[in-house]
Amino acid sequence: MNLTGGLAWHWLAWRSKERWAPTSQAIEKWLMSEAQAFKPSNTKDQPSLLLIGASAGWMMPTNWLCQFKEVHTFDIDPLAAPLFRWRHGENLRRSGTALTCHTQNALSDLPSLLRDHSKACIFFDNVLGQLRFTDSEVQSTEKNISQIVKCLKGREWGSVHDRMSGPVNGAL
């Protein structure tokens, strides 16, 4: 079983919705908080969201996603896009939010994506912490995350997941 996706992982995620509910609710509260700089109502110049590592959006609150004019999801898992549409698509359509799902490794093409979507908010959903499972050495993972943070300097971005991506302070 692949620790970062696939049919078995999505089945387990679907089965774990109740167990994950407190975490999902905490994420929603955090994302919907007035204090969040990347909340669309606070960032009129950033009507788009790039959701990297979107998976099926198991932990993403639909209400938060619906605040954006457009949402672009990126995931290497071919099941991620149809499952994301199944979970969030109807509500996004009703709210007028355009949804485009991409099956690609956004991390490998991050500079280009950032150029193409220069005003978009960036959000990493359960992806940065998984780098440790796709790389053989911790030092390499730390270097990759450091380079990602450097690319994001001056951008509105956030991450949720794990111990590896960790908290970010304003000095970065």
Side-chain angles (χ1 to χ4, degrees):
M1 178 172 118
N2 184 328
L3 293 174
T4 65
L7 184 58
W9 187 90
H10 287 291
W11 183 80
L12 288 171
W14 176 76
R15 297 255 320 178
S16 300
K17 279 180 14 180
E18 262 185 56
R19 189 168 40 113
W20 290 356
T23 301
S24 296
Q25 290 163 1
I27 291 169
E28 181 170 17
K29 182 178 178 183
W30 176 64
L31 288 171
M32 297 298 284
S33 161
E34 289 298 324
Q36 295 307 311
F38 47 86
K39 187 174 183 207
S41 61
N42 295 340
T43 56
K44 292 182 182 8
D45 292 337
Q46 300 177 4
S48 300
L49 172 67
L50 303 186
L51 188 57
I52 299 174
S55 188
W58 294 110
M59 298 296 228
M60 289 291 95
T62 302
N63 291 337
W64 181 68
L65 295 169
C66 288
Q67 295 178 94
F68 290 94
K69 182 177 180 183
E70 58 183 29
V71 172
H72 291 267
T73 68
F74 296 88
D75 202 295
I76 59 174
D77 184 348
L79 296 174
L83 289 171
F84 192 95
R85 284 187 189 100
W86 170 70
R87 291 186 43 75
H88 300 287
E90 182 60 32
N91 288 323
L92 290 171
R93 269 189 299 282
R94 272 190 263 145
S95 73
T97 300
L99 174 63
T100 306
C101 297
H102 307 269
T103 303
Q104 73 183 72
N105 183 347
L107 293 179
S108 66
D109 199 22
L110 189 60
S112 175
L113 288 173
L114 294 175
R115 272 191 312 275
D116 293 347
H117 301 274
S118 62
K119 295 185 183 256
C121 298
I122 315 300
F123 198 80
F124 297 92
D125 179 19
N126 294 322
V127 69
L128 294 181
Q130 291 181 9
L131 292 178
R132 177 61 186 106
F133 298 110
T134 59
D135 203 331
S136 61
E137 300 202 11
V138 172
Q139 293 82 3
S140 179
T141 301
E142 290 172 346
K143 182 180 177 186
N144 287 338
I145 291 174
S146 227
Q147 289 173 337
I148 290 167
V149 169
K150 188 176 179 181
C151 279
L152 294 167
K153 189 166 180 78
R155 297 294 296 258
E156 296 293 344
W157 71 278
S159 176
V160 68
H161 186 272
D162 48 65
R163 294 177 297 210
M164 290 299 289
S165 56
V168 176
N169 66 32
L172 294 176

